[in-house]
Amino acid sequence: FFTMALPSNFGGSGNQGGGNQGGGNSPQNHQIERVDSGQWENTYEIERNPRIYVMEERYYRVRDGILELVVNGDEDNPLRVAAGIVRLEARYVLADNTVVEELPEGASWRDIRSIEIEVESRAARGLEESNRVLTSRYFPRNVLSR
């Protein structure tokens, strides 16, 4: 975890940001814990106006024909998204429009133009069977930070 000294009036006049009820300008310490045992790469002094972003880990998987969403590593309680899924693939579209399944050696997120997701479903009704393939490209938000 790291400790950040915040002014007691942090959060505005309504004290929505967790500031000190007593007012004044003495700092108040807040701690944010890491879920792993790693170290923070940088220091975050309050004078530099650091920002903290709350993020979730989300990933999709196909299990027994069901597309599932796992949030924050909760493997035992996945959200069931869709049935009849036979394939889920993810590919990187690089800056030069090359489509690859794995990032080339030495590449980073800065080399990614978009992420391509392809989902295939299969459904049977009576004697008829239909397959559908949906392919979409998603724009990674960090790509603007090049």
Side-chain angles (χ1 to χ4, degrees), residues 18 41 56 59 63 66 76 106 108 117 124 126 131 134 137 143:
E41 185 173 322
E56 285 183 322
Y59 72 88
R63 189 173 277 175
I66 305 293
D76 296 330
S108 75
I117 304 295
N131 283 15
L134 173 66
R137 288 189 176 180
V143 81

Side-chain angles (χ1 to χ4, degrees), residues 67-134:
L67 179 62
E68 297 179 333
L69 169 60
V70 177
V71 180
N72 293 329
D74 189 0
E75 298 274 339
D76 296 330
N77 298 297
L79 303 172
R80 297 166 60 95
V81 177
I85 305 301
V86 294
R87 186 170 54 88
L88 172 66
E89 293 181 3
R91 294 180 281 274
Y92 300 101
V93 180
L94 303 179
D96 64 358
N97 281 324
T98 303
V99 179
V100 296
E101 291 184 13
E102 294 184 24
L103 282 178
E105 183 74 29
S108 75
W109 64 266
R110 294 174 190 257
D111 301 308
I112 300 171
R113 175 173 290 198
S114 62
I115 305 294
E116 183 177 273
I117 304 295
E118 188 166 281
V119 179
E120 181 178 354
S121 67
R122 183 171 296 136
R125 177 181 274 175
L127 298 175
E128 293 184 33
E129 185 175 285
S130 65
N131 283 15
R132 299 281 188 261
V133 177
L134 173 66

